[in-house]
Amino acid sequence: MKNYSRNAWSLFTKVMILTIVYFLSCTVRSQSISAKRNASPLDYKLWSKATSKGLSEMGLWYLYNVSYENGSDTLIVKNLQRPISYICPKSQKSSFLHEKWFCSLNNVDELSIIDLVSGKKEVINNALNFEITTDNKLLIVVLKTESNNKTLLIRSFEKPISYKIQNVLAYAYNAIGNKLIYSSISAGICRVFILNTDKHTTDLVSESSDEKLYNFIWQQSGGSVTYLSKKSHQADNLSQNQKIVCYKLNTKKLYTFQPEQATGSNLSSTSAPAISELVLSQDGQSVFFKMKNQKKDIALNQKSIVQVWNAADKNLPPTGNSKKDNYHPKIVMWNPEKQLFKILTDSLYSEIMLNYGQKFAILWNPAVDEPQSNFYALRDYKSVELATGQEVVFLKDYSYGVDKISLSPAGKYVTYFKKGDWWLYNIELDTHSNLTENLQYSFANEENDFVGEIPAYGHAGWTANDKSILLYDKFDLWEISPYDFKTKRITYGREINTQYRIIHSLEKKRQIANFDGVTSLIIDKDKDILVQSKSKTENGLYRLTQKNKLISVVSSKNKISAPIVSQDGSTIVYSEENFDLPPRIIRKQKNHDELSLIYESNPHTKHFNQGRSEVINYRNSKGKVLQAAIFFPSDYTSSKNYPMIVNIYSRQSEKAIEYVNPSLYSSSGFNISNYTNNGYFVLLPDIIYESGNPGKSAVDCVLSGTKKALESFPIDPKAIGLIGHSFGGYESDFIITQTDMFSAAVAGAAITDMVSSYLHFSENYFRPNFFQYESSQLRMGESIFKNFQGYLSNSPVYYADKVNTPLLSWAGVEDVQVHHYQTIEFYLSLRRLGKKHVMLLYPEQGHTLTNKDQQLDLSTRIMEWFDKYLKKNSSTVQYNYN
């Protein structure tokens, strides 16, 4: 019994020891596996960005791009039903053909053709471009050659049929007519052919032994085509003695127009004008084009012994930038069959847009009210019936703005926003209608705090044939008929503080360019429309049915972005992210409840500590409730105090749910994740403005938000930094003249002297800076001569003696938005006063930095600046400013 007990005890002891060792080893291994650390700059190269590029017609294949900051760039074609993917590095252009074929052209001129059914891949070298015919049978490939001319390769997808067209100078494909026009040069003769890709027949259009024939533009239906001709000995960049050619396919007739030889056109004084931007009317009867006097351009660029600046000039004197010169291109209409032509614009009514069908032109006079102080001068609009020349001035002294006036897609109406309401002008009837005056909600942006006329929330577009227009108020979507003015409220977000907006596809924008104006696109209400929702707590996607019913696709506290829909409407793909959730791509199929994960970016983040974010509420001194986004240190623990960086620029609290790849290559030198990884809190407080007091408004809101963060989180009050760029740079500079709350500050591309900046002109816009102060971002609301003291009291430079915060400032020497002399002014003031200040000037850089080496330099210097003053850390300092 004794021996048995001793043996049993010995056995028990060994088992216990082994068990303890086992559990200890498991614990250690578990800890080693689960141990995390903050990401360092050496790790940043691991991060990538995924961008949605498209879906195949039926949603079977998904296309997305993955890129890294080192320039690595890969397009991935992924099957959404089977584990099959194809990789296309450095893709520049790509296209699906149903669910069967995929083509991708990369940056080294390789065209990959992938059979998505069999997996076979073919590569065509020396490819410059490609198109797929509308019958989906043929692939047209442009091949480069040793000469300046190209080769066209035309081949079948399904059959082993292909042929080449050599020595091609130019070409254009017409999708509706399924025809290809091209010019080719052989034995010194330039010939133009039209290839009917359906019948594989070729017709000769014209030929010339001393001319180049190029710049082909089709009539939309394919019934006519126009192009340019110039002498073959001319250099490609010269445009003298151009001719316009128009060819009618049904009659096989060729028409030619040479502007400087036309009689009675008032063109003889414009020797050898340059012609550009050819447009064929919908009916093929008229050709429209831009024409500009080249001699005047040459004269503008010649050196002069004196510059004459007259205060009565409409614009500032020419600076060599032809886009901003006083001379504006003329828009000309030519009817080939009638051999009639008409100059539509003149020196007064110099800008134009054409309605659908080109029966009417809308013209306006952008400079008639110059000189004046707003960005855009008041202007008059008139309609011109092109067949009769009848003119009607329908809008006088209109305050133009981007997205305020456009043509309807069918060309029946001009839509314009004026004094808080949407209006329609019926071009044929010459009548105006106020669409929104009797609606109880405002269609003017209530959150706009700029001085002047309040802009609209916007409009989504028109339904087919101008049947109805879709407008936005703050929350909802409205549909209004221009015929009987019946109004439908489609969404009901106001009651739940949720905003609904229509999502436009990757391929289509809400508006398309129309010479100097824009035309709205058509919203197809015969199929489901994708709508995005947004509130303070949730984001979502919905399908809007033909019966105006909203069907939820997804609802999330995360950010939902980049949604795309397959052509047949069966599949929706979107991106979801949050500050602590790297972007992931999700699929939702119609009539299916479940969501499926397609791609999860940056999976390596699970090995690193990740910060998190919150939105906090605070009040400014006037009791207004505001929000701020706050981001936590990656290794956050409530038992210690942390330094904090306050980044400012108007309203930024919505960034709380955005994922930020850490990177040292920032155009402004600041990256939120860099700082959370380096043990900082980051605060982004919203700022609202009082007219005439932008600087003091920023002080009020930023200090209130910072104090709220100090009350709520373990932040060291003696280790708070401030940073801003552009308008945020101005705010940073001004704030440190009013408070000593911040232990260090950084300001980039900042305005520091409102007086000298007001009395300067922006090379970005080629107009005086008056508008920036009186009616735009600086929010002063009136001229310096009416409120001189206000300009002084909101200028950082005049309070330089109050600065006790060490400041690092920077600017690009080639900045055309804010002149770098503004940064130098503050530098010289602080230098004269003996303050702690370092200025960085980056040669050959503009308002933001684009050079990678300079981005790295700026990001490194800013981080070291804050580490020095907020962490008292100089052990790893690369740049010593002592």
Side-chain angles (χ1 to χ4, degrees), residues 192-203:
V192 175
F193 298 93
I194 291 180
L195 170 67
N196 187 319
T197 59
D198 287 329
K199 301 176 182 179
H200 302 286
T201 58
T202 303
D203 295 323

Side-chain angles (χ1 to χ4, degrees), residues 9 155 168 231 278 329 344 348 360 373-374 437 515 543 596 611 623 625 677-678 693 718 739 748 773 847:
W9 176 253
R155 53 162 290 170
V168 173
K231 295 297 181 182
L278 298 176
L344 302 179
L348 181 61
F360 289 89
S373 63
N374 292 321
E437 63 178 336
F515 282 103
R543 293 180 185 267
S596 56
V625 177
N677 285 329
N678 195 23
N693 273 313
K718 295 182 179 180
T739 179
Y773 294 84
H847 197 56

Side-chain angles (χ1 to χ4, degrees), residues 83-234:
I84 300 174
S85 294
Y86 300 99
I87 295 175
C88 303
K90 298 291 184 180
S91 177
Q92 305 293 303
K93 178 181 178 180
S94 60
S95 181
F96 285 106
L97 176 55
H98 301 311
E99 315 299 305
K100 168 69 172 168
W101 298 94
F102 178 75
C103 299
S104 174
L105 179 65
N106 65 19
N107 66 340
V108 291
D109 303 330
E110 294 175 338
L111 176 63
S112 298
I113 304 170
I114 302 174
D115 185 331
L116 298 174
V117 176
S118 68
K120 292 182 179 179
K121 178 179 177 180
E122 178 185 354
V123 176
I124 297 176
N125 294 312
N126 299 316
L128 298 175
N129 199 1
F130 73 91
E131 292 190 57
I132 298 172
T133 60
T134 49
D135 60 5
N136 297 322
K137 294 180 180 179
L138 297 176
L139 175 68
I140 302 171
V141 186
V142 184
L143 301 175
K144 67 179 180 181
T145 63
E146 293 181 358
S147 68
N148 290 329
N149 299 324
K150 312 294 187 297
T151 294
L152 290 184
L153 170 65
I154 301 175
R155 53 162 290 170
S156 170
F157 279 102
E158 302 291 347
K159 301 176 182 179
I161 300 173
S162 68
Y163 54 95
K164 290 182 178 181
I165 304 172
Q166 307 285 350
N167 299 312
V168 173
L169 178 64
Y171 81 99
Y173 173 70
N174 178 260
I176 294 178
N178 208 13
K179 294 179 175 64
L180 178 76
I181 187 168
Y182 63 92
S183 57
S184 63
I185 299 176
S186 177
I189 298 176
C190 185
R191 296 180 175 88
V192 175
F193 298 93
I194 291 180
L195 170 67
N196 187 319
T197 59
D198 287 329
K199 301 176 182 179
H200 302 286
T201 58
T202 303
D203 295 323
L204 176 66
V205 174
S206 66
E207 62 181 1
S208 175
S209 60
D210 63 346
E211 292 177 319
K212 294 179 180 178
L213 309 171
Y214 63 104
N215 195 25
F216 298 105
I217 304 295
W218 281 99
Q219 178 190 358
Q220 187 175 353
S221 65
S224 302
V225 65
T226 186
Y227 54 94
L228 291 178
S229 165
K230 70 177 179 182
K231 295 297 181 182
S232 55
H233 65 269
Q234 279 185 223

Side-chain angles (χ1 to χ4, degrees), residues 610-612 631-636 642-643 675-677 679-681:
Q610 293 192 72
R612 60 183 176 86
F631 304 85
F632 287 67
S634 299
D635 58 355
Y636 173 75
Y642 293 87
Y675 284 82
T676 58
N677 285 329
Y680 286 91
F681 273 97

Side-chain angles (χ1 to χ4, degrees), residues 24-73:
L24 284 174
S25 64
C26 288
T27 302
V28 170
R29 185 171 38 201
S30 174
Q31 288 177 345
S32 65
I33 291 173
S34 63
K36 295 184 178 182
R37 60 179 176 84
N38 288 6
S40 73
L42 294 176
D43 302 311
Y44 294 172
K45 63 181 180 293
L46 301 174
W47 267 260
S48 65
K49 180 181 179 181
T51 306
S52 290
K53 292 296 184 180
L55 279 166
S56 61
E57 184 178 331
M58 299 174 65
L60 178 60
W61 295 87
Y62 171 59
L63 187 64
Y64 65 102
N65 189 76
V66 178
S67 58
Y68 292 82
E69 66 178 20
N70 65 2
S72 175
D73 192 325

